[in-house]
Amino acid sequence: SFNKMGDLQRALGDGAGARRSYESSLSIAEALAEREPERADYQRDLSVSYSRLGALALQEGDQASAQHYFRADFDVAERLANLEPNRVDYQCDLAISHWTMAQLEFSADHATAALRILRRLLAAEALDADQQPLIATIEAWLAAS
């Protein structure tokens, strides 16, 4: 609920309110993930909270905070994808996290890793149609790098 409130506040231009809501969500997600680290759903909630705070930081021009939050998001996404390699949603989360890190760090390695995951999912007919254009976007980014 705090994430949804933060999304609404962010859309309305209330960055401070969005930050408070996202930080409340993060606090809860951290407590739950710490209490039951084996619960993948708690870990994923933690990842979502980090991602939203990272996006808000980027929107506000705070590159250092954005990198901090997106790095934390990446670490959780990578852990989940490795723990459950057959979960398509976790693989997609990891690909998107790689892509985000590629853009933040100007990293061809992260972009290549994202592309590898997305192509594997596409070949397995497991990639949603709305995520398929990301392949061309990353390919173009890599070609321009």
Side-chain angles (χ1 to χ4, degrees):
S1 294
F2 281 115
N3 278 333
K4 289 181 182 183
M5 293 258 313
D7 291 346
L8 178 61
Q9 291 164 316
R10 184 173 164 210
L12 293 172
D14 181 7
R19 178 174 315 292
R20 283 190 303 275
S21 293
Y22 291 150
E23 286 173 348
S24 293
S25 178
L26 177 61
S27 178
I28 293 166
E30 285 175 332
L32 290 171
E34 185 178 319
R35 186 175 305 145
E36 296 185 55
E38 72 285 352
R39 292 272 311 258
D41 56 333
Y42 290 168
Q43 295 296 319
R44 189 150 194 258
D45 289 345
L46 184 60
S47 175
V48 168
S49 291
Y50 286 137
S51 179
R52 287 216 168 76
L53 279 162
L56 179 63
L58 267 183
Q59 181 180 333
E60 294 176 337
D62 185 351
Q63 189 78 10
S65 291
Q67 284 184 307
H68 165 77
Y69 288 123
F70 281 124
R71 169 55 61 188
D73 170 46
F74 175 80
D75 291 343
V76 175
E78 186 174 46
R79 186 170 52 250
L80 284 172
N82 289 333
L83 285 173
E84 297 194 40
N86 295 324
R87 289 278 306 260
V88 171
D89 54 339
Y90 293 167
Q91 296 303 311
C92 285
D93 288 350
L94 179 57
I96 291 168
S97 290
H98 269 298
W99 175 230
T100 301
M101 295 306 296
Q103 295 172 91
L104 285 172
E105 298 177 354
F106 304 102
S107 168
D109 290 342
H110 275 295
T112 301
L115 197 53
R116 187 174 33 252
I117 294 166
L118 293 171
R119 284 180 177 156
R120 185 179 68 240
L121 292 172
L122 182 64
E125 298 181 359
L127 188 62
D128 288 340
D130 63 324
Q131 294 169 326
Q132 292 176 15
L134 187 53
I135 293 173
T137 300
I138 296 170
E139 288 172 338
W141 188 87
L142 282 167
S145 297

